Amino acid sequence: MPRYSYQSAPGLRIRTTHFAGSAEEFAQALAEDCRADYGTEPDVRVWDGPITEPPAATAR
């Protein structure tokens, strides 16, 4: 299962988890859950490598 680092919205902590799908699928799933979980507009960034590189996927 791939390992991803992600940030659901600016100012939130960057976290790491495993997700069975692609980086794009993970970003979309996070964006759908962001409003309920954090009460903020999603601006999801997902990395499949070092977070010093551009994100592998984004979603709003």
Side-chain angles (χ1 to χ4, degrees):
M1 193 175 315
R3 180 178 169 166
Y4 298 110
S5 296
Y6 67 95
Q7 184 178 39
S8 297
L12 295 179
R13 192 173 116 186
I14 295 174
R15 299 174 182 264
T16 302
T17 193
H18 292 88
F19 184 79
S22 69
E24 293 82 10
E25 291 170 327
F26 184 47
Q28 289 297 325
L30 284 174
E32 291 174 11
D33 290 342
C34 188
R35 284 182 195 89
D37 290 346
Y38 299 108
T40 188
E41 288 298 312
D43 187 6
V44 176
R45 298 185 299 169
V46 174
W47 294 269
D48 58 2
I51 59 172
T52 56
E53 300 292 325
T58 59
R60 290 182 177 239

